[in-house]
Amino acid sequence: MATQRYSVTPHPIETLLTWVKSGEIAIPEIQRPFVWDATKVRNLLDSLYNGYPVGYLIAWRNPTVRLKDGTTSSGKRILIDGQQRVTALMAALLGQEVIDKDYRTRRIRIAFNPLEQKFEVTNPAIQKDATWIADIAEVFSPEVGLIGVMDDYLARNPEADRKEISGILQRLWQITNNHVGVIELAEHLDIETVTEIFIRVNSTGAQLSQADFVMSKIAADERNGGNQLRKAIDYFCHLAVSPEAMPRIEKNDTEFVKSEYFQKMRWLSNVNDDLYDPSYTDMLRVAFTSEFGRGKLQDLVALLSGRNFETRDYEEEIAEASFERLKKGVFNFMSKTHFDRLTMILRSAGFVTSNLIRSKNAVNSAYIIYLRGRAEKMDAAELERLVRRWYVMSVLRGRYSGNAESSFDYDIRQIEMHGLAKYANAVIQSELSDDYWSALLPQQFNSSASTTPSFVAFKAAQAKLGDLGFLSRDITVRDLLLNRSDVHHVFPKNYLKGRGFTAARYNQVANFVIAQSEINISIGDKSPDVYFSELADQCSGGSQRYGGIADIDEMRANLETNCVPASVLNGSIPDYDDFLEERRTMMAEKIHLYFKSL
């Protein structure tokens, strides 16, 4: 017989709101801040008033935990789906404030017109109109209540029929008697099963990540300071993107401002660096993996619940210890010293702008490697070199592009077993073998996607090696990447289009060079044999058409730096496909040279 995985029970809205107020149901605020606009709140109330279904709520009961004194504590319900709806009801019916996307605390006031039986978002015109009840929260308020609202309304609208208005307001007041189905998931279910049930039940098919469940678990555990920890993660990620939000947080969340978490992130108020803007998933991934030596976030949910993996029981001591370890991992992540050092290492590898950061998981892995190296007290210079090489290897090989979580878990367990330097260097040597440099990497340039990892690494290599831009005498690729540059087609795009080439052919990354805009514009659609001939003439006293290089040796050096065969200056313009083949090999050789310099 199959094990029952859930139960479905209808509950009055009033009961649900009571549970939330008492803490029986924990709203983990996965989607915090409140993301609904006021019109959605209005529509929800209109549906309830007219008896329309408003969907199910999904709750997942925490496991029963054995306390230190030997007694057990039955876990509270965590609201997995329906947070926005419940928060909207709390705001509109009970008058509770919400925090909006700008981290401002505000009221959502919904008005009701008994004569038209219509809901609207309160506005100044409605507030002046006697036919409207400007804030329905008054109906549900113990201080005012249904009778008080009705008497006030009839005083303002003496022509209204008392019996009719009384019946309509009674119907409004009884909204809280409407039932909503609560799907309660069994406490023994793992994250994968909970996720599958959520997707099957949720009409939108929205995905919940394992990080969402971790955030639920953290926020629901008030005993271990989970709400403050969840806020720390949320605020840090928000401030990393929008440091200008700092004054609003200081004004609106004075309790959090007093916490040790806030002091650890104050440095973000003066930061305008977008090289690495972590999400809460990134932050949890790095903090957990580096601190716990595990890579699967479902294990973190279990540990924060107090799971003893040997006895399969849930124990308070394990939950407490796990929260402390996670807190330490979060502090390490938020450290200005650590965060700055990571971004410095990435820049020192040539990844000088966020446009070159194509894989957040590769950055996360680099941060994990860095934090582990710090924990192992590795020499600073040796650690920086290892992080650079690991990151570039991860980018080139797409190490975290598939099942990233399994890769994280495998890597960190091997690091735990063999030590960081020994394992990481062995992986780098294996992944970037001689065969990779000579055979596989050139083939990776057979792509028309400018974001392909090999071309991104090529641009980073040019930035790291101090290469000059294509045909530039003084401007480096690094300068161009940091300011403004064009991706120039060596064989111009329109030139190739005119000869019947498709986009997949003329946009091959091996046809791309980084150039100043004015040089790109000057070349335009000219055929390669024309403009390379003019470049040769430019170095023999002719007019300066493209850039400022007038010396033939300097011109050859520039072409070779940009992996363009210098033979083109002699009129030896290869067939387009032969050119691509030769340039792919040259670009791979440059990246190999670059990697050795790391």
Side-chain angles (χ1 to χ4, degrees):
M1 182 175 177
T3 303
Q4 181 67 28
R5 297 184 171 190
Y6 64 92
S7 61
V8 183
T9 309
H11 291 286
I13 289 173
E14 184 178 21
T15 300
L16 296 176
L17 297 179
T18 300
W19 283 351
V20 174
K21 287 188 288 185
S22 67
E24 173 65 18
I25 281 187
I27 301 181
E29 300 178 295
I30 289 172
Q31 301 169 28
R32 187 184 183 277
F34 186 67
V35 298
W36 272 19
D37 59 34
T39 56
K40 280 194 173 184
V41 181
R42 177 203 65 194
N43 294 343
L44 174 65
L45 292 169
D46 185 70
S47 294
L48 288 170
Y49 183 79
N50 288 293
Y52 299 142
V54 294
Y56 287 93
L57 306 180
I58 303 179
W60 183 22
R61 184 177 285 280
N62 272 349
T64 297
V65 176
R66 189 171 68 245
L67 304 179
K68 293 177 181 177
D69 62 3
T71 62
T72 58
S73 171
S74 180
K76 65 176 66 175
R77 300 173 178 90
I78 299 176
L79 196 59
I80 294 299
D81 185 40
Q83 296 169 71
Q84 297 292 306
R85 280 169 288 165
V86 171
T87 302
L89 292 172
M90 300 283 286
L93 303 184
L94 303 185
Q96 292 196 358
E97 294 182 326
V98 298
I99 296 177
D100 65 17
K101 59 183 175 57
D102 293 320
Y103 289 82
R104 292 190 177 95
T105 302
R106 65 183 181 91
R107 276 286 320 278
I108 295 176
R109 289 178 171 82
I110 303 299
F112 180 68
N113 188 321
L115 299 177
E116 299 180 6
Q117 298 188 58
K118 180 180 178 182
F119 293 89
E120 278 298 343
V121 179
T122 302
N123 57 45
I126 284 176
Q127 289 177 319
K128 296 175 183 177
D129 189 336
T131 63
W132 286 87
I133 297 170
D135 187 356
I136 63 170
E138 293 182 355
V139 175
F140 304 91
S141 165
E143 289 76 22
V144 183
L146 178 62
I147 301 300
V149 170
M150 183 175 67
D151 289 344
D152 177 69
Y153 187 81
L154 290 170
R156 289 185 289 116
N157 297 273
E159 74 286 354
D161 183 275
R162 183 180 185 88
K163 184 177 180 180
E164 180 184 3
I165 296 300
S166 175
I168 291 170
L169 291 181
Q170 188 76 21
R171 178 180 169 186
L172 172 64
W173 183 73
Q174 289 177 342
I175 276 181
T176 56
N177 293 333
N178 288 17
H179 283 66
V180 175
V182 178
I183 299 173
E184 187 164 317
L185 307 181
E187 62 185 60
H188 67 271
L189 298 179
D190 56 31
I191 289 177
E192 284 77 8
T193 305
V194 172
T195 303
E196 182 181 355
I197 292 172
F198 172 86
I199 292 171
R200 291 188 181 210
V201 172
N202 190 297
S203 60
T204 64
Q207 292 283 345
L208 277 184
S209 71
Q210 293 191 356
D212 291 329
F213 288 107
V214 175
M215 293 291 271
S216 300
K217 176 61 65 177
I218 293 171
D221 198 319
E222 297 173 6
R223 185 169 59 243
N224 290 300
N227 189 50
Q228 290 288 77
L229 178 57
R230 190 212 55 76
K231 278 187 179 182
I233 296 169
D234 181 59
Y235 282 151
F236 184 92
C237 296
H238 180 68
L239 289 168
V241 177
S242 304
E244 67 276 7
M246 183 75 76
R248 292 198 293 271
I249 293 173
E250 290 178 309
K251 178 182 177 182
N252 296 323
D253 200 342
T254 54
E255 180 186 355
F256 181 78
V257 169
K258 297 174 186 175
S259 72
E260 57 184 327
Y261 295 110
F262 187 73
Q263 303 310 314
K264 296 283 187 181
M265 64 178 73
R266 291 189 75 102
W267 63 272
L268 286 170
S269 62
N270 299 315
V271 171
N272 288 298
D273 183 355
D274 67 347
L275 192 70
Y276 177 42
D277 288 335
S279 66
Y280 64 80
T281 302
D282 301 320
M283 195 167 178
L284 285 170
R285 173 81 60 209
V286 173
F288 170 61
T289 305
S290 61
E291 185 61 34
F292 287 75
R294 293 171 176 263
K296 295 187 175 180
L297 288 178
Q298 71 182 75
D299 290 347
L300 179 55
V301 173
L303 288 165
L304 294 176
S305 300
R307 176 72 182 270
N308 184 320
F309 286 105
E310 294 182 4
T311 65
R312 298 189 177 184
D313 291 332
Y314 291 87
E315 303 170 13
E316 185 180 14
E317 292 93 334
I318 293 176
E320 286 182 1
S322 298
F323 266 93
E324 282 301 310
R325 290 186 72 181
L326 181 59
K327 180 179 175 181
K328 179 183 176 185
V330 167
F331 277 153
N332 281 335
F333 186 102
M334 292 193 302
S335 163
K336 184 178 189 303
T337 299
H338 295 163
F339 202 89
D340 285 351
R341 188 62 58 86
L342 172 71
T343 54
M344 180 193 73
I345 291 171
L346 295 177
R347 282 195 173 87
S348 72
F351 293 84
V352 294
T353 76
S354 57
N355 291 331
L356 296 178
I357 305 295
R358 309 306 305 183
S359 168
K360 277 283 192 69
N361 277 328
V363 179
N364 295 338
S365 74
Y367 207 173
I368 292 166
I369 295 292
Y370 170 77
L371 291 174
R372 292 295 299 204
R374 292 275 299 201
E376 292 185 15
K377 298 185 174 9
M378 279 184 66
D379 173 75
E382 181 185 351
L383 177 57
E384 289 171 14
R385 180 174 183 269
L386 182 64
V387 173
R388 274 192 295 270
R389 290 162 60 85
W390 181 270
Y391 177 72
V392 174
M393 178 276 297
S394 301
V395 170
L396 286 172
R397 299 297 279 153
R399 189 169 185 82
Y400 302 99
S401 59
N403 188 342
E405 186 160 82
S406 294
S407 298
F408 278 114
D409 191 60
Y410 178 81
D411 284 337
I412 198 65
R413 289 179 184 274
Q414 293 299 310
I415 289 169
E416 291 269 292
M417 188 180 304
H418 302 291
L420 175 60
K422 182 178 179 181
Y423 173 71
N425 284 319
V427 170
I428 291 168
Q429 184 175 356
S430 171
E431 291 288 319
L432 303 181
S433 64
D434 289 342
D435 285 343
Y436 171 78
W437 295 118
S438 63
L440 186 55
L441 180 55
Q443 287 309 305
Q444 288 181 214
F445 283 105
N446 188 358
S447 170
S448 59
S450 61
T451 57
T452 194
S454 57
F455 187 58
V456 171
F458 178 75
K459 289 188 283 188
Q462 289 204 287
K464 165 70 173 174
L465 296 173
D467 290 354
L468 293 167
F470 180 64
L471 306 184
S472 293
R473 190 186 67 181
D474 303 297
I475 307 297
T476 65
V477 169
R478 183 187 184 92
D479 293 331
L480 292 170
L481 292 172
L482 287 170
N483 294 283
R484 184 165 179 233
S485 64
D486 283 355
V487 174
H488 170 68
H489 293 67
V490 180
F491 278 62
K493 178 172 69 175
N494 287 335
Y495 167 79
L496 293 174
K497 284 177 70 175
R499 282 156 180 73
F501 284 79
T502 63
R505 296 282 309 284
Y506 60 70
N507 280 332
Q508 283 287 302
V509 296
N511 193 29
F512 294 162
V513 286
I514 306 302
Q516 294 172 237
S517 298
E518 56 270 28
I519 292 175
N520 188 25
I521 292 169
S522 296
I523 293 173
D525 303 334
K526 294 177 182 175
S527 67
D529 59 328
V530 170
Y531 82 83
F532 279 121
S533 174
E534 291 173 339
L535 282 171
D537 181 64
Q538 176 174 309
C539 295
S540 301
S543 59
Q544 299 289 302
R545 297 174 182 271
Y546 315 109
I549 301 176
D551 179 82
I552 191 65
D553 291 332
E554 192 177 343
M555 182 66 75
R556 285 197 177 96
N558 181 276
L559 294 177
E560 290 173 356
T561 291
N562 286 281
C563 299
V564 175
S567 58
V568 295
L569 294 172
N570 303 326
S572 301
I573 309 298
D575 172 80
Y576 179 59
D577 287 323
D578 291 339
F579 166 78
L580 293 178
E581 198 67 31
E582 184 175 0
R583 190 157 188 261
R584 286 170 187 144
T585 299
M586 295 176 73
M587 294 168 82
E589 289 171 350
K590 175 170 282 286
I591 293 180
H592 192 188
L593 175 68
Y594 150 76
F595 188 78
K596 290 177 180 178
S597 76
L598 299 176

